[in-house]
Amino acid sequence: MDLKLDAVTHRYSDVDVLRDISLDIPSGKITCIVGPSGCGKSTLLRLLGGLEKPTEGAVRQVGSPPEGCLNALTYVFQDFALLPWRTVEGNVALVLEDHKLPDQAAIIADVLARTRLTDFAGALPKQLSGGMKQRVAIARALAVNPAVMLMDEPLSALDSQTRELLMDDLVGLWTKQPFTAVYVTHNLAEAVRLGHRIVVLSRRPGEVREIVEIDTALDERAHGDAGLEAQQQYLWGLMREEAAAADAELMNV
Amino acid sequence: MSDQVTFRGGGFAPKRVRGLGVLVFVLLIAFAEWGTRSGMISALTLPRPSDVLGTFVELWQSGGLFKHLLPSLSRLAVGATLGVIAGVSVGVMIGLFAYARAGLVPLVAAIFPIPKIALLPLFVIWFGIDEASKYALIAFGTFTPTVVATYAAVDNVDRTLIRMGQSFGLTWWSIVRKIVLPGAMPGILSGLRISLNIAIILLVAAEMLGAQYGVGAYILEAGSLYDLERLFAGVVILSVLGVAVSSVIGMVERRLLRWRV
Ligand SMILES: Nc1ncnc2c1ncn2[C@@H]1O[C@H](COP(=O)(O)OP(=O)(O)OP(=O)(O)O)[C@@H](O)[C@H]1O
Ligand SMILES: [Mg+2]
């Protein structure tokens, strides 16, 4: 299932946040969205997942969600959003319980194995490190077999080593079983590491400034690869003045 | 010169200290015993703790304790349960629905300060002189503080968790049951500490106004005869009841809120 943004414009009272965005989210690929702070990336993600209605234009699903999909558009949040009173297993179970599946236990076991959390099934969130918490959130998202995963800066609450490890995990997960994702980040290294396509937004009101495609397969993108380094430099060149301007704008408020 | 850096990071973290609460009671009672024996406190001012204990043992041996305590406990249980269930439900509604909030918060604010005891005659007319009016009084008294504590607790539930539930397509009822209620539980339980004690106060008040048996009736009878030993024996029962309620809630908190950091 693909997602399609059709000339989407979004406004909060009289502030234009997003202007005339048309974008395809192809299935089986990771689309990264980068842009300066406050340009409307999170807003775009909320529009994509139906948590908000666009002021103008439309968000469309093209095709139908895959077989056995329980929640087509599934978020992974920056702050994990785990229920502190439920165990790892319980947090994954939460999103399955309403569906009354006969194989719920098998699904949970499977996603916990894929995210290497089997040994922590009975742990409470307060006992886990940040990286593990985000892996639980990813396991929970995988459990509903989503058509598109909507990830809003999923790694930015983590330290840089944990972030590297989790990126490896995501690459591993995708390589074993490709999923569709929209991945919002302000970290260009994450974008060139995980993105098949990188959408650069301009400062507010956010417009599509450029779309960069990276053809290297995800599992061949090594840390410190020269080609990726060049892509990252190029992206930074695009974003630099926007970011500076956005920064100055925020200070004027 | 090498001074050790002064430690200044202590405190502000509640921890369990065993036995200290008991020690405070023991010291106070020992002081009263010593004061009444030495004559520093006259027998008219305060009964001697050992005499109160004697009265209490007598009451227990004569079977009078349970004759008074059991009706009181059942009134408390029925009234408080009704009040808490109604209070939590209304509190959750206020927390979740804008219309319930707009319509009910002023009403709750209006009935909160009414001394519920003043309404007992009204309840007697509505529900009869028997148990029902006592249940109603206790329920009504526990209801308002529970409502206030519950909706404040619901307001404090992390909204990102609720958004998460919605984004996974959980049903409304699942969100309430699995996210809102557990998230509000710490606030609801600390509200219960207050409302259950209010229930004990109202229990005694209701029994003073019309009951043959009950701790309140026992205290009233002792008071009208200026029998300070019996009066205090009754008061001790109430205090023990208060301590028991508080420790039961403490146990429930430790069980249900183990997830808290
Ligand atoms: N609910 C809202 N009501 C009013 N204004 C909003 C609302 N949500 C976001 N905005 C404004 O819209 C703009 C874009 O916000 P958004 O959170 O989408 O930006 P972002 O690109 O995700 O920023 P960041 O990089 O800081 O996460 C900001 O200026 C913000 O103040
Ligand atoms: Mg954002």
Side-chain angles (χ1 to χ4, degrees):
Chain A
M1 184 186 99
D2 295 0
L3 275 181
K4 205 175 171 64
L5 287 159
D6 234 357
V8 165
T9 294
H10 197 66
R11 230 170 261 129
Y12 287 115
S13 47
D14 51 353
V15 188
D16 275 18
V17 177
L18 294 168
R19 184 182 292 164
D20 194 28
I21 298 214
S22 293
L23 192 64
D24 285 337
I25 313 291
S27 68
K29 298 232 163 96
I30 300 181
T31 303
C32 283
I33 296 182
V34 298
S37 170
C39 75
K41 304 183 292 293
S42 301
T43 310
L44 186 66
L45 215 56
R46 286 201 296 277
L47 294 173
L48 279 172
L51 288 183
E52 214 155 334
K53 262 196 264 181
T55 321
E56 287 166 30
V59 182
R60 297 179 205 290
Q61 302 182 5
V62 185
S64 51
E67 194 77 22
C69 167
L70 301 175
N71 187 48
L73 306 169
T74 296
Y75 284 89
V76 174
F77 299 91
Q78 178 177 357
D79 55 2
F80 324 129
L82 300 178
L83 301 185
W85 48 87
R86 285 197 176 215
T87 60
V88 167
E89 204 171 13
N91 266 289
V92 178
L94 174 80
V95 299
L96 299 173
E97 284 162 1
D98 279 353
H99 299 280
K100 308 224 174 350
L101 303 169
D103 55 345
Q104 177 173 315
I107 296 178
I108 297 174
D110 171 54
V111 293
L112 290 186
R114 277 160 74 192
T115 47
R116 295 181 290 114
L117 286 166
T118 310
D119 294 343
F120 304 97
L124 286 172
K126 69 171 178 186
Q127 300 170 289
L128 305 177
S129 69
M132 277 207 239
K133 283 186 202 160
Q134 195 55 292
R135 268 162 41 209
V136 178
I138 293 170
R140 176 178 65 188
L142 291 173
V144 294
N145 194 14
V148 182
M149 278 221 259
L150 303 168
M151 312 173 92
D152 193 356
E153 310 201 18
L155 307 187
S156 60
L158 307 174
D159 62 82
S160 57
Q161 289 92 334
T162 313
R163 207 179 298 157
E164 283 296 329
L165 293 174
L166 233 81
M167 277 197 269
D168 288 344
D169 283 348
L170 284 172
V171 168
L173 280 171
W174 190 87
T175 314
K176 269 199 216 114
Q177 195 173 326
F179 53 85
T180 314
V182 181
Y183 188 107
V184 166
T185 179
H186 54 232
N187 183 327
L188 297 178
E190 279 174 37
V192 296
R193 186 74 195 290
L194 296 172
H196 296 99
R197 314 171 80 209
I198 300 169
V199 179
V200 184
L201 295 183
S202 67
R203 68 172 187 271
R204 202 181 67 204
E207 291 175 288
V208 177
R209 173 93 195 266
E210 190 158 334
I211 298 179
V212 177
E213 307 258 354
I214 301 184
D215 297 326
T216 324
L218 285 192
D219 52 349
E220 286 161 19
R221 299 182 190 180
H223 187 63
D225 181 303
L228 294 183
E229 207 56 46
Q231 296 273 23
Q232 194 177 329
Q233 282 307 324
Y234 175 68
L235 287 170
W236 175 231
L238 287 176
M239 269 182 65
R240 188 183 182 105
E241 52 207 270
E242 301 281 352
D247 195 40
E249 208 165 85
L250 293 180
M251 282 193 295
N252 286 337
V253 173
Chain B
M1 200 182 91
S2 68
D3 275 341
Q4 206 169 32
V5 172
T6 341
F7 173 64
R8 47 187 176 170
F12 297 101
K15 60 178 181 211
R16 289 185 80 188
V17 182
R18 285 186 177 278
L20 190 59
V22 177
L23 185 69
V24 171
F25 277 112
V26 169
L27 282 180
L28 268 178
I29 292 169
F31 175 74
E33 182 75 28
W34 169 79
T36 42
R37 272 185 197 280
S38 70
M40 208 177 74
I41 305 172
S42 86
L44 280 178
T45 329
L46 198 70
R48 192 173 291 171
S50 50
D51 292 347
V52 173
L53 183 70
T55 317
F56 191 79
V57 171
E58 207 173 284
L59 181 68
W60 186 40
Q61 279 166 349
S62 68
L65 179 62
F66 290 101
K67 197 174 67 186
H68 290 296
L69 193 56
L70 289 181
S72 288
L73 284 179
S74 73
R75 283 168 193 146
L76 187 65
V78 174
T81 307
L82 289 176
V84 166
I85 290 175
V88 169
S89 324
V90 172
V92 169
M93 304 252 284
I94 291 178
L96 292 178
F97 301 112
Y99 283 100
R101 176 175 306 243
L104 294 178
V105 169
L107 182 66
V108 171
I111 55 178
F112 206 158
I114 302 173
K116 309 297 180 295
I117 304 162
L119 297 181
L120 187 63
L122 190 66
F123 285 135
V124 171
I125 296 172
W126 286 355
F127 301 106
I129 190 80
D130 292 336
E131 298 300 295
S133 60
K134 298 182 182 67
Y135 295 156
L137 181 75
I138 296 169
F140 198 44
T142 36
F143 172 74
T144 34
T146 310
V147 170
V148 174
T150 304
Y151 84 70
V154 171
D155 286 349
N156 274 328
V157 175
D158 191 349
R159 294 294 121 168
T160 61
L161 294 181
I162 296 179
R163 287 277 167 279
M164 182 277 294
Q166 290 176 319
S167 81
F168 275 96
L170 266 57
T171 60
W172 182 86
W173 180 233
S174 276
I175 292 178
V176 171
R177 218 159 33 107
K178 297 171 188 168
I179 301 180
V180 174
L181 277 182
M185 201 45 81
I188 295 177
L189 285 178
S190 56
L192 279 192
R193 280 185 189 277
I194 295 170
S195 43
L196 290 184
N197 280 304
I198 292 180
I200 297 178
I201 295 174
L202 288 174
L203 163 77
V204 176
E207 288 175 344
M208 281 183 164
L209 289 176
Q212 200 182 352
Y213 296 114
V215 180
Y218 177 78
I219 292 178
L220 182 72
E221 193 194 306
S224 58
L225 298 171
Y226 280 88
D227 186 343
L228 288 191
E229 276 93 34
R230 289 178 63 196
L231 179 78
F232 267 76
V235 170
V236 167
I237 297 176
L238 293 180
S239 298
V240 170
L241 209 55
V243 173
V245 163
S246 157
S247 55
V248 165
I249 293 179
M251 263 156 51
V252 172
E253 276 178 342
R254 277 196 294 283
R255 256 196 77 82
L256 286 186
L257 308 182
R258 226 174 326 189
W259 51 271
R260 272 206 298 196
V261 204

